[in-house]
Amino acid sequence: MKTLFILLDKEVRQFIRNSFMPKLVLIFPLMIMLIMPWVTTMDVRHINVSVVDQDHSSASRRLIQKINASDYFSLVQVSEHYEESFRQLEANNADVIIEIPDRFGESLVEGSAEKLRITANGVNAMKGGIGAQYTTQTAMQTLSELLAEEGSQLPNDTFVIENRYNPTLEYRNYMIPALMIMLLIMLCGFLPSLNLVGEKEVGTIEQINVTPVGRFTFTLAKLIPYWVIGLIVLSIAMLLAYIIYGLSPVGSFGAIYLAAILFILTMSGLGVTIANGSSTMQQAMFVMFFFVMVFVLMSGLITPIASMPEWAQWITRFLPPRYFIEIMQAVYLKGTSINELWQAYTALTLFATLFDLLAAVTYKKQT
């Protein structure tokens, strides 16, 4: 027992004297309990709705007012032409379009209502599907209340629902590109970090420190192999997605690989930066895991960003995976071009430059 107490005393002292572990023990539960429940909610809110009102009746005005007053919807546009609303859908400014045809209110009272057309953005299968359901339920409730005042009932076939870009709302079509992103986050973030810290622990890094190799050359040598590995992994994943699931990009492969090159450089740069500040494999793994967890939970991979609180949405602007996810989903399912996604490509370029420069600057060569 005495030996056990001595060893326990040693472990406690070693833990307290460690400059990293006590901070980790404090930060992790705070992060999990205070922030994650807000950003990982499965509730779908802030569904952007564009209304095409060709009727201009009391029924259409009441429906628009109901949508505008709901906490679940954000009314982004009311127009008379479907083409205007569809442009909002293509630009991801709208999640759902509800089209109210001409003479809808009049036909509703007559008992032969024209059909309401609801178009959902199926790129995000969960948000598109649930958004269409919410919109349908709200419209049904509003019109039923209106007809109840007139002493009649709503016909069963009042709605026509169309899911754009993912007609069957197959969740795997949404998740397969997301899984590719997770692969690159894990491999291209963890591997360079663990490789560099492993060299520190073994001592081989000291042999490089006494050579005339510059910090930028050293960093570049650490980044390029994982850049190649990441592209190979992505190619294998895309090939398997096509062979097994029949899913291939609607857009160009060049748009995907360009985004992947920038994202891989970003993640490997982050991994090397973390390794430069870590003295042990354990420390590097914990820090990297922290960033990976934030990336996965807050970048739109699992929870729609629009459903997060405003402060969390603001934070996601500084997370590189958010932009790569936007590109992958848009190119894979919609066929969006590079020109239309220039903002996301620009953001990834800035992140890649920043993290790779940090990786070089934080490398402390001791001669």
Side-chain angles (χ1 to χ4, degrees):
M1 291 297 294
K2 182 178 180 180
T3 303
L4 177 61
F5 282 123
I6 292 174
L7 291 175
L8 288 174
D9 180 67
K10 187 268 294 183
E11 291 295 330
V12 171
R13 291 175 183 273
Q14 184 175 332
F15 176 84
I16 294 174
R17 290 172 182 172
N18 191 296
S19 61
F20 169 74
M21 293 300 291
K23 297 176 184 177
L24 182 70
V25 170
L26 178 64
I27 292 174
F28 252 66
L30 288 175
M31 185 76 179
I32 295 296
M33 300 307 298
L34 297 181
I35 298 179
M36 290 309 165
W38 291 94
V39 301
T40 58
T41 175
M42 299 306 290
D43 292 335
V44 177
R45 293 180 179 270
H46 307 296
I47 301 165
N48 295 325
V49 179
S50 179
V51 179
V52 181
D53 186 6
Q54 300 171 344
D55 187 33
H56 302 289
S57 65
S58 60
S60 66
R61 287 192 294 271
R62 188 162 176 173
L63 180 56
I64 292 170
Q65 290 172 359
K66 190 77 170 182
I67 291 173
N68 195 31
S70 174
D71 292 335
Y72 288 90
F73 300 111
S74 297
L75 186 62
V76 296
Q77 183 187 48
V78 178
S79 66
E80 296 184 1
H81 304 287
Y82 181 80
E83 291 75 15
E84 294 180 18
S85 293
F86 187 68
R87 282 195 290 269
Q88 294 291 327
L89 191 77
E90 284 189 313
N92 288 327
N93 296 326
D95 302 305
V96 176
I97 298 173
I98 179 167
E99 184 178 3
I100 307 172
D102 189 23
R103 295 187 67 254
F104 175 76
E106 182 180 340
S107 64
L108 190 67
V109 175
E110 293 174 353
S112 57
E114 297 284 341
K115 288 181 172 57
L116 284 177
R117 181 182 176 189
I118 296 176
T119 305
N121 187 345
V123 171
N124 187 327
M126 183 178 67
K127 189 175 184 183
I130 295 178
Q133 292 177 20
Y134 285 179
T135 306
T136 304
Q137 291 171 3
T138 301
M140 287 181 65
Q141 181 183 1
T142 305
L143 297 177
S144 296
E145 292 173 356
L146 182 63
L147 287 176
E149 296 171 2
E150 303 291 335
S152 56
Q153 293 182 345
L154 183 68
N156 293 327
D157 57 345
T158 308
F159 301 93
V160 176
I161 300 176
E162 179 185 7
N163 299 304
R164 301 289 304 199
Y165 315 121
N166 187 6
T168 59
L169 285 182
E170 285 281 353
Y171 191 66
R172 69 184 182 191
N173 292 347
Y174 166 71
M175 276 306 297
I176 287 173
L179 291 174
M180 297 178 190
I181 296 167
M182 291 180 68
L183 275 173
L184 295 182
I185 290 174
M186 298 294 289
L187 292 177
C188 300
F190 271 101
L191 290 182
S193 180
L194 297 181
N195 176 266
L196 182 54
V197 177
E199 287 192 45
K200 286 184 180 181
E201 292 185 338
V202 173
T204 55
I205 194 73
E206 301 299 329
Q207 300 175 17
I208 298 176
N209 285 336
V210 298
T211 67
V213 175
R215 62 174 64 188
F216 287 98
T217 304
F218 173 80
T219 303
L220 195 61
K222 288 294 181 184
L223 296 177
I224 290 178
Y226 300 100
W227 177 57
V228 176
I229 290 171
L231 293 178
I232 292 174
V233 169
L234 178 63
S235 300
I236 293 172
M238 292 172 65
L239 180 62
L240 291 174
Y242 175 71
I243 294 174
I244 299 174
Y245 304 105
L247 183 64
S248 59
V250 178
S252 69
F253 286 93
I256 293 176
Y257 278 108
L258 176 59
I261 288 170
L262 297 172
F263 184 68
I264 292 168
L265 288 174
T266 300
M267 289 306 304
S268 55
L270 175 62
V272 172
T273 302
I274 291 173
N276 288 337
S278 303
S279 55
T280 64
M281 191 86 71
Q282 183 185 41
Q283 184 175 341
M285 287 183 65
F286 272 120
V287 175
M288 197 65 211
F289 179 75
F290 174 81
F291 279 99
V292 168
M293 184 175 64
V294 173
F295 287 165
V296 170
L297 295 179
M298 292 189 64
S299 295
L301 261 174
I302 298 175
T303 304
I305 292 175
S307 298
M308 299 178 186
E310 287 291 336
W311 58 266
Q313 294 184 40
W314 187 83
I315 292 175
T316 62
R317 299 175 185 270
F318 301 94
L319 302 180
R322 168 181 175 161
Y323 303 97
F324 189 42
I325 292 165
E326 178 184 340
I327 292 171
M328 284 290 284
Q329 292 177 347
V331 174
Y332 237 94
L333 299 178
K334 295 173 61 177
T336 310
S337 66
I338 295 177
N339 293 335
E340 295 172 293
L341 295 167
W342 68 270
Q343 291 179 323
Y345 282 100
T346 302
L348 282 180
T349 302
L350 293 175
F351 279 119
T353 304
L354 173 63
F355 282 115
D356 291 345
L357 284 175
L358 278 175
V361 171
T362 56
Y363 169 57
K364 298 177 182 178
K365 185 176 180 181
Q366 301 173 350
T367 57

